[in-house]
Amino acid sequence: MAYEVTATRRRPQKFEDLIGQEFVAATLKNSIQSGKIAHAYLFSGPRGCGKTSTARIFAKALNCEKGPTPSPCGECSACKEITKGSSLDVIEIDGASNTSVNDVRQIKDEVQFPPNSSRYKIYIIDEVHMLSNSAFNALLKTIEEPPEYIIFIFATTELQKVPATIKSRCQQFNFRLVPIEKIKEQLALAAAEINIQADEEALYWIAKESTGSMRDAYTLFDQVAAFSESHITYEKIRDKLGLVGTDRLNALFEECAAANPSGAEDKLDDFLQAGISIEQLITNSADYLRSLLLIKNGIAKESLLGQDPSRFSKAVLDAWNGTQIERALSIFLQLYRDIRYSLSPRYEIDLAFSRLCWLKEYVSPSEVKVAVDQARSLLGAAPAVSAPATGAPTTNAPSFNAAENVPPAGVNPPGFNEGAENEQSGAPKEFHFAPLESAVQENVPEEQTEEAVAIPKEVDMLARVFKGEIVGGKI
């Protein structure tokens, strides 16, 4: 028997076989049971989620010799012809190659003739959004008032390109992406059918790479099965498809977390010399950082991570907090966009990993705000600095009206040093601010001394930054 690809061999033949489209299947089955069959349907959704397969199953359910029935037998001549694509009464048309008004005119002429041997004559137009505006307009009257034996089923991946006049004449069904868990289950069944052993981690990787498309998952499965012989493992996928792999990424990012740029650059160069493309490395690194971020937020679902959480480096998770991992992920997402127009993609990725090596020093704006608020509360709680007595050293801050919080005319605020030349004397003006520590020590009671000393280093640093703006003990 000739070889069949998995996507063809496992194409759904009954409503129960549809994966992840339970709502669509239930609605169509109920409409058949109740006899409420519309004359036009519009199936929309991403690629590989079962739109054309559903149209064929629906056609079999309507034209089955035992029907109309929600469970076609699959054994009668009508069912077999529809399955093979040879039925004269179920016409499949590729909308991408039949876009003109002449093609639609041919359909309008054909609908005048009743079905050859079946109950209904059904037109399945795939990628209907590719039709021209003139072709859509030519279809309007036929879709609105077709003969009772005519049913139109339109399928499209780009619903927004279908005119509203067509949508309003059809029952619309939106197909969804298939969940990763369900894809993985179907891949396990496909492997068992051809007597191939497959590891859970490898199947999760295939399901994740398919991005919700069953056809993409089956196609990738066939490719992996071709070079894996009788046992599919993640290690074989990694080596054969040129992936970096979690273990190698752990080693690379551990060097970055340890702030070791030379070690990180050595490992990066080893990957690139081994033939791994820069684009693939960026993609794998972004996926790795996303998984770290999910784990950091307490998410350990294997279907989201693609593999067991224990495979990710604990050293990297301990070294970086959630904000820093977010920053690292944003670096690689932006890097993927930048390399297209870069002078050298290698320079770009070198720079990205160099930045990761000092990621521990990164402080987010929210952390800066918290430190500023702490400094504000600390300085705002200090008593007002008294004005210097008569004969006090001139190095102290000049007095001013504390009630109005405004220095007298001609006097700059404390801490202000003006470098402009004096117009009269030619000498620069200089104003000296008394050290913050001495001002606090002179006015803070003894019982508050220990509390004032035990302030965080960051708050003390910010206090020194803002001391030039202190007026009457307030910022």
Side-chain angles (χ1 to χ4, degrees), residues 32 119 152 200 243 245 252 256 264-265 278 294 300 339 352 419 455:
I32 294 172
R119 194 174 292 107
F152 288 97
E200 293 280 319
L243 306 179
L252 175 58
C256 296
E265 181 62 29
I278 291 179
L294 292 176
I339 58 172
I455 60 177

Side-chain angles (χ1 to χ4, degrees), residues 39 119-120 146-151:
H39 55 265
R119 194 174 292 107
Y120 292 95
E148 59 181 8
Y149 49 79
I150 295 295
I151 294 177

